[in-house]
Amino acid sequence: MNIYKATDDKFVLLEDLSGEIFESEQGIPKSLTHIEDDLHPQWWYVLDDETIIGTICAYFDNDECHMGRIVIISAYRNRGIATKMIRFALEDLFLQGVDTLYLEARDITVHMLEKMGGEVIGESFEFYGDSCTPIMIRKENYKSK
């Protein structure tokens, strides 16, 4: 398995994969997972042989970098792949000069990010039947291992 930063020609495919997983597993309408081009999205993905098994996205809104659309195909979960993918994307963004990233994350992702130095910055709220929590991670607090 390898992690890659996506080129523009893969954006639609990756957005479609994340939308399908969110809709089928969490009931979040696929239409809510679209990211407009003016938000300058960046995507990363995990490839196992020729199969894309996970993806993550970052985008810029009002000079803030937001991360989301974090998905791993169910057959590949619980192997640490999401953690590696998140680290890969974070480190790439930090190299680009991003100092702080913001997310609204499900509990499992909050726990991963807290271990990496992330901090909860607001109250949890219900989103499509599950809890989401605002969290941020700063470059200066990032724990790479």
Side-chain angles (χ1 to χ4, degrees):
M1 280 180 256
N2 292 303
I3 304 169
Y4 300 95
K5 184 169 186 178
T7 52
D8 292 354
D9 62 319
K10 286 211 180 341
F11 284 14
V12 171
L13 174 69
L14 298 175
E15 185 175 73
D16 192 52
L17 174 65
S18 69
E20 286 176 16
I21 291 174
F22 280 122
E23 189 169 69
S24 67
E25 293 182 9
Q26 298 176 17
I28 299 169
K30 197 172 181 178
S31 61
L32 293 181
T33 61
H34 176 68
I35 299 173
E36 296 294 332
D37 289 342
D38 65 340
L39 297 177
H40 309 287
Q42 297 180 45
W43 290 86
W44 297 263
Y45 63 99
V46 182
L47 198 61
D48 184 29
D49 291 323
E50 299 296 317
T51 304
I52 296 173
I53 62 165
T55 188
I56 186 171
C57 182
Y59 59 92
F60 298 85
D61 190 16
N62 296 322
D63 295 324
E64 290 181 348
C65 186
H66 295 264
M67 183 178 275
R69 314 312 188 266
I70 303 166
V71 296
I72 300 292
I73 292 175
S74 62
Y76 290 86
R77 292 184 189 148
N78 300 313
R79 299 182 193 181
I81 297 168
T83 300
K84 291 175 186 168
M85 183 178 64
I86 290 169
R87 286 189 185 285
F88 190 93
L90 284 171
E91 291 169 8
D92 186 21
L93 289 162
F94 292 150
L95 285 172
Q96 293 176 47
V98 172
D99 291 320
T100 306
L101 289 104
Y102 298 90
L103 298 92
E104 291 176 343
R106 304 286 192 188
D107 291 342
I108 192 167
T109 306
V110 170
H111 296 305
M112 279 190 266
L113 289 167
E114 285 178 321
K115 289 177 185 176
M116 294 179 200
E119 73 179 81
V120 172
I121 57 170
E123 294 294 319
S124 295
F125 58 93
E126 186 176 324
F127 185 71
Y128 284 87
D130 207 348
S131 176
C132 273
T133 304
I135 188 166
M136 74 172 180
I137 187 160
R138 296 179 194 267
K139 180 180 180 178
E140 63 196 36
N141 296 335
Y142 175 65
K143 298 172 186 161
S144 61
K145 293 291 173 185

